Amino acid sequence: MCATSLSSVLLSGGTVIVCPEDADALDVIRDGAVLVTGDRIAGIYDTAHPSNLPADTEVIDCTNKIITPGFIDTHRHGWQTGLKTLASNTTLPDYMNRYAYGAAALYTAEDVYIGQLAGLLEALNAGVTTTLDHAHHIWSEETAKAGLQASIDSGARVYWNHAFTGLPNFPFSEQVAHFKEMAKTLPRPDGLTTMGVAYDGWTYAPAEEIKELVGLTKELKIPVLTTHYCGGPWMADNSPGLLHRHGVMETDTAVVFSHAMGIDMANSVVLRATNQYISITPESEMHYGISHPNGHLIQDQAALGVDTFLTFSTDMMTQARMWLQRTRSRIFDQTLQKWLIPVNNPMSVNQAFLMATRHGGLALRRPDLGVIRVGAKADLLVFDGRSPGMLGWVDPVAAVILHANVGDIEHVMVDGKFRKRDRKLTFENYDAVIDRFLASAAKLQKAAVESPDPVIEGRFWGGCEYGHADEVNISRDPETNGFGKQFIHGR
């Protein structure tokens, strides 16, 4: 397991990005300090060397460094780590047939466990301290247990949301019974892993199943419920309005809608009235062509997520950066189409930072996450301000959002404990995890590459017909457009 820390730690001399109480705003303390006692932030100081510290306080010199809250990923499928790089040019229909539904035939419980563990450690290394995991690896009791146990073992803060999908060999009713049994054996309620519910059957499942799912959520007082909400041509119209009619929007349960491609004014009204959130996953929504035409109009109720990191980036800095520039570009284009030259920037680095931190906590109804303030959970990052890419920064928020990379993160704290220290994960015997994971990945990748290509024809989920996107040409050679092939054979 992970290394423990002393009872009190002082991060001393850094530039601290703080968030005032109950405000979507940031402030900066230069040459300040943050005191961690146990699992909480116990003090924030405008001096590097405060007095009256606990006697056993360990002092960490953070001179020339930036101290931030940990990032919060509100949509991830952690178990898929072993399929990395196979889906670099895939589409959503291909991904779903090959790597979501199709993965059941490839994965054992061991593959789920080590993939989930390696994926969460990868996220921790990237400064993601809290993950909302849409766990759709529920093909058997064994694979369900494996994903949950890996989440517990990782040392990350994980909302492990069991995806309920009735299968011939593991029917919905059996999944519910097994979920209840797992909930009884989960470590203490104040532990880092929290069980939640993921469900996508709102538009097509039998009424009795949906009623049982809602009853389970209320019976067990599930803290977080999540669903894929695409809409538009993608179907999967698991909208706020629909869930509101099922009675889950105005409870103590946080409801997180992933993607929300099809969100409109009516559903945004429901979202705001019930104070629920969407999770925008910029890279996946661009990679797969899901799109996000209206996400920028509901950012007051939006957080950010990574999604299928087997395909692309695992870190939230990249997602925040992509969303910031995507939104800027979209709104700039609207201005330019009127033959007007923009004189202001429509979105700031502060807004992107808040969506990757504080808004994630609010989406989970955890105002003590994603912020640096006294009493908040001690989920903290320390960036090296003297790294080549960050050298010369003045604005710490801009430095993190626009210039930093994963290698600039020196320390990661979760619940007051170092999960990464001096740029190295503190997970016990991490080298053994690597070896175990690589053995699993080699087997999975070989099987995936050798599997027949899925036949994609007809209509997507019975809705829109399939079509072909125009391929771009980057070559002057008339024999090729430069698209090339994937280098995934002959491992």
Side-chain angles (χ1 to χ4, degrees):
M1 284 297 295
C2 301
T4 58
S5 67
L6 299 174
S7 59
S8 291
V9 174
L10 183 74
L11 303 176
S12 171
T15 295
V16 188
I17 301 176
V18 298
C19 187
E21 190 78 29
D22 299 326
D24 259 339
L26 299 172
D27 203 354
V28 167
I29 300 172
R30 299 183 190 274
D31 195 27
V34 177
L35 177 66
V36 173
T37 299
D39 63 349
R40 299 279 174 175
I41 296 172
I44 302 170
Y45 308 94
D46 58 6
T47 176
H49 305 288
S51 58
N52 300 319
L53 296 175
D56 61 352
T57 300
E58 179 186 8
V59 178
I60 307 293
D61 184 7
C62 293
T63 305
N64 299 315
K65 304 183 193 306
I66 300 171
I67 304 169
T68 78
F71 295 115
I72 299 176
D73 177 0
T74 53
H75 184 62
R76 178 181 289 251
H77 302 295
W79 60 273
Q80 296 177 323
T81 320
L83 300 172
K84 193 174 291 183
T85 75
L86 296 188
S88 58
N89 298 321
T90 194
T91 62
L92 187 60
D94 182 64
Y95 158 80
M96 294 180 68
N97 282 281
R98 194 190 301 266
Y99 302 115
Y101 306 143
L106 308 179
Y107 270 73
T108 65
E110 161 67 7
D111 297 322
V112 171
Y113 175 86
I114 199 64
Q116 178 82 353
L117 179 61
L120 287 170
L121 294 176
E122 178 185 356
L124 281 171
N125 183 65
V128 179
T129 53
T130 298
T131 294
L132 172 54
D133 192 90
H134 188 126
H136 54 6
H137 55 76
I138 312 300
W139 309 303
S140 66
E141 291 187 3
E142 291 73 25
T143 61
K145 288 178 182 177
L148 176 60
Q149 190 61 52
S151 301
I152 295 168
D153 292 347
S154 71
R157 191 179 302 281
V158 182
Y159 284 81
W160 183 80
N161 281 43
H162 179 299
F164 289 88
T165 52
L167 300 172
N169 63 323
F170 197 22
F172 179 84
S173 59
E174 292 183 17
Q175 290 183 19
V176 170
H178 185 243
F179 181 85
K180 290 181 177 180
E181 285 300 313
M182 287 194 297
K184 292 178 183 177
T185 61
L186 192 70
R188 65 188 191 283
D190 60 342
L192 291 174
T193 298
T194 303
M195 288 177 65
V197 165
Y199 187 67
D200 289 336
W202 303 99
T203 60
Y204 62 81
E208 296 79 10
E209 180 179 301
I210 295 174
K211 183 178 180 181
E212 186 174 359
L213 189 284
V214 173
L216 172 73
T217 301
K218 294 180 178 179
E219 175 192 347
L220 298 185
K221 296 181 171 58
I222 294 298
V224 179
L225 166 70
T226 191
T227 185
H228 287 102
Y229 168 33
C230 292
W234 293 106
M235 311 296 281
D237 198 15
N238 300 316
S239 67
L242 176 59
L243 269 66
H244 196 29
R245 292 192 290 276
H246 284 292
V248 297
M249 294 291 283
E250 293 187 285
T251 69
D252 291 335
T253 298
V255 184
V256 179
F257 297 85
S258 303
H259 310 309
M261 178 272 175
I263 194 164
D264 54 19
M265 175 59 76
N267 281 294
S268 71
V269 169
V270 175
L271 203 68
R272 289 183 172 116
T274 56
N275 195 27
Q276 304 289 7
Y277 278 70
I278 67 172
S279 175
I280 298 170
T281 61
E283 196 166 7
S284 81
E285 289 155 14
M286 288 188 278
H287 175 99
Y288 293 120
I290 298 170
S291 190
H292 32 233
N294 296 321
H296 63 294
L297 301 176
I298 188 69
Q299 290 187 101
D300 52 305
Q301 299 294 141
L304 298 177
V306 168
D307 200 8
T308 58
F309 66 102
L310 82 148
T311 312
F312 35 68
S313 312
T314 195
D315 67 286
M316 292 295 293
M317 290 174 290
T318 297
Q319 305 310 319
R321 191 172 300 159
M322 283 191 164
W323 182 244
L324 172 66
Q325 307 296 27
R326 174 74 165 114
T327 301
R328 287 173 167 176
S329 177
R330 181 195 302 277
I331 297 174
F332 279 145
D333 284 348
Q334 294 170 359
T335 306
L336 292 168
Q337 286 167 5
K338 302 173 185 175
W339 289 13
L340 298 173
I341 302 300
V343 296
N344 66 298
N345 202 310
M347 186 173 177
S348 73
V349 291
N350 290 26
Q351 291 171 312
F353 184 92
L354 286 163
M355 291 182 72
T357 53
R358 180 175 187 259
H359 277 213
L362 295 177
L364 301 172
R365 296 197 170 170
R366 289 291 303 271
D368 60 339
L369 299 180
V371 294
I372 294 181
R373 65 167 68 113
V374 174
K377 281 288 190 177
D379 295 358
L380 300 167
L381 312 180
V382 178
F383 287 82
D384 178 8
R386 291 175 63 87
S387 70
M390 306 239 325
L391 200 61
W393 64 272
V394 177
D395 182 341
V397 181
V400 169
I401 293 298
L402 294 178
H403 298 277
N405 61 62
V406 170
D408 297 326
I409 302 174
E410 277 195 40
H411 309 307
V412 176
M413 267 190 168
V414 179
D415 227 37
K417 297 180 175 64
F418 284 104
R419 302 308 188 190
K420 179 181 183 180
R421 188 161 187 174
D422 298 325
R423 291 190 169 89
K424 292 183 179 180
L425 290 170
T426 62
F427 194 89
E428 185 177 338
N429 205 4
Y430 179 57
D431 286 343
V433 173
I434 293 173
D435 292 340
R436 187 174 166 187
F437 167 75
L438 289 176
S440 168
K443 181 201 72 171
L444 291 170
Q445 291 169 4
K446 183 176 186 296
V449 168
E450 292 176 351
S451 297
D453 292 339
V455 177
I456 299 174
E457 58 186 14
R459 295 176 180 271
F460 184 75
W461 285 350
C464 290
E465 295 181 5
Y466 292 109
H468 287 273
D470 292 337
E471 288 187 9
V472 300
N473 190 341
I474 61 93
S475 176
R476 296 182 65 180
D477 183 345
E479 301 298 321
T480 179
N481 63 7
F483 196 91
K485 64 180 181 179
Q486 278 190 272
F487 302 101
I488 56 177
H489 295 273
R491 281 184 57 107

